Amino acid sequence: MRLVTWNVNSLKARWERVEEWLVTCEPDVVCLQETKLADTAFPAMDFSALGYESAHHGEGRWNGVAILSRVGLDDVVSGFGDGEPADPEARLITATCGGVRVMSAYVPNGRALDNDHYRYKLAWLERLLAHLDAAADRSMPIAVCGDFNIAPTDQDVADPQSLVGATHGSGPERDALAKLLDWGLTDVFRDAYPNDEGLFSWWDYRSGNFHKGIGMRIDLILGSPGLADRVRWALIDRNARRGTRPSDHAPVVVELVDP
DNA sequence: ATGGTAGAGCATCTA
């Protein structure tokens, strides 16, 4: 099974790129973030024509997450399954695909360390932990995929100095991510390339950062033991960041062996 | 000292 996470930064603006990439890469399960669509505008029929069932959780203008699957798509949960009041933003969707409990997450950016949105980011990550207990069965392989807006370590940043006093690499964010790993998840891409630097999934559109190699690895696939043990290979498709009107994120791809 | 770009949507907000 081939599993992907990709922040497409507007599915409407990216449709042709996404369609072309799906046909070429042939993934089985795809987690999308930042569709920036309402559920009524989500192109489920177009994905169906490409062979994918889909589930989308969107609000319109911003955010929006989806899961595509050609190996089944069941038991969908939109948002958090913790019984608390609904998240005001559409940032999480969960489904079972091909025997794997899959989550597509778009973790809040945080904006700045003194911003309310940063506190929302930390609270959101705490809630994701509770959601794991509520919506995932530990006896099943689990894949928490998405744009975490956190570079796990300085190894995942071109210029760690640029993150001092900023979001994406602060202690509390990295601690929150560590709690997810402590729950029993593995960063399966880093597991495949433990010593490599310069492996990024996002590059700022500004200043030609992609071509300068200045980016961060913030798009992650966190797998439970039953998933992480099945990883045959992993890659980040930087070619998807080149050419006409690309997303600022590249897709992260993981190939799993059959159980 | 703060920009630079891209997307949504039409003034800015978000990233």
Side-chain angles (χ1 to χ4, degrees), chain A residues 57-77:
Chain A
H57 178 44
E59 61 192 73
R61 218 165 161 187
W62 291 309
N63 311 309
V65 286
I67 299 174
L68 318 177
S69 174
R70 60 180 194 185
V71 290
L73 197 153
D74 300 296
D75 300 319
V76 175
V77 178

Side-chain angles (χ1 to χ4, degrees), chain A residues 5-256:
Chain A
T5 186
W6 192 9
N7 179 324
V8 294
N9 185 16
S10 169
L11 186 55
K12 186 175 173 213
R14 216 67 60 211
W15 171 255
E16 289 181 0
R17 295 286 309 242
V18 170
E19 181 180 41
E20 178 189 33
W21 191 86
L22 290 176
V23 168
T24 305
C25 175
E26 299 191 309
D28 296 297
V29 178
V30 183
C31 295
L32 300 177
Q33 299 86 38
E34 275 206 272
T35 62
K36 297 186 176 177
L37 295 175
D39 289 339
T40 50
F42 185 76
M45 297 302 281
D46 294 311
F47 284 122
S48 181
L50 296 174
Y52 294 95
E53 292 180 82
S54 60
H56 180 254
H57 178 44
E59 61 192 73
R61 218 165 161 187
W62 291 309
N63 311 309
V65 286
I67 299 174
L68 318 177
S69 174
R70 60 180 194 185
V71 290
L73 197 153
D74 300 296
D75 300 319
V76 175
V77 178
S78 289
F80 291 107
D82 58 7
E84 300 294 314
D87 187 354
E89 302 186 358
R91 297 179 172 276
L92 180 66
I93 190 165
T94 304
T96 298
C97 307
V100 178
R101 195 66 172 145
V102 177
M103 298 180 195
S104 179
Y106 177 41
V107 177
N109 174 290
R111 298 177 194 163
L113 298 186
D114 61 354
N115 194 297
D116 279 342
H117 203 254
Y118 178 71
R119 288 179 279 279
Y120 170 56
K121 180 181 198 174
L122 296 178
W124 200 95
L125 288 161
E126 282 287 333
R127 234 178 138 177
L128 184 58
L129 262 182
H131 175 74
L132 270 164
D133 285 318
D137 179 348
R138 281 179 182 271
S139 69
M140 186 182 279
I142 301 164
V144 184
C145 311
D147 176 359
F148 282 75
N149 272 311
I150 301 169
T153 74
D154 284 353
Q155 188 185 9
D156 302 302
V157 185
D159 177 15
Q161 278 301 114
S162 68
L163 286 189
V164 174
T167 59
H168 292 64
S170 71
E173 289 165 81
R174 286 179 171 170
D175 289 348
L177 179 60
K179 277 193 182 175
L180 286 167
L181 301 179
D182 288 345
W183 189 86
L185 301 173
T186 299
D187 176 352
V188 300
F189 181 86
R190 180 50 76 196
D191 210 38
Y193 304 92
N195 301 313
D196 293 72
E197 301 195 338
L199 299 177
F200 306 134
S201 66
W202 170 85
W203 302 260
D204 199 310
Y205 283 122
R206 295 171 285 190
S207 309
N209 276 5
F210 176 73
H211 297 285
K212 294 176 186 167
I214 299 172
M216 287 193 276
R217 191 175 68 90
I218 57 176
D219 299 273
L220 310 177
I221 295 178
L222 307 183
S224 65
L227 184 114
D229 293 347
R230 286 169 53 191
V231 174
R232 190 200 299 266
W233 51 258
L235 64 81
I236 296 173
D237 184 7
R238 267 186 283 195
N239 283 327
R241 183 61 174 78
R242 304 177 203 276
T244 310
R245 276 168 60 118
S247 170
D248 46 353
H249 297 252
V252 182
V253 187
V254 165
E255 178 82 2
L256 305 173

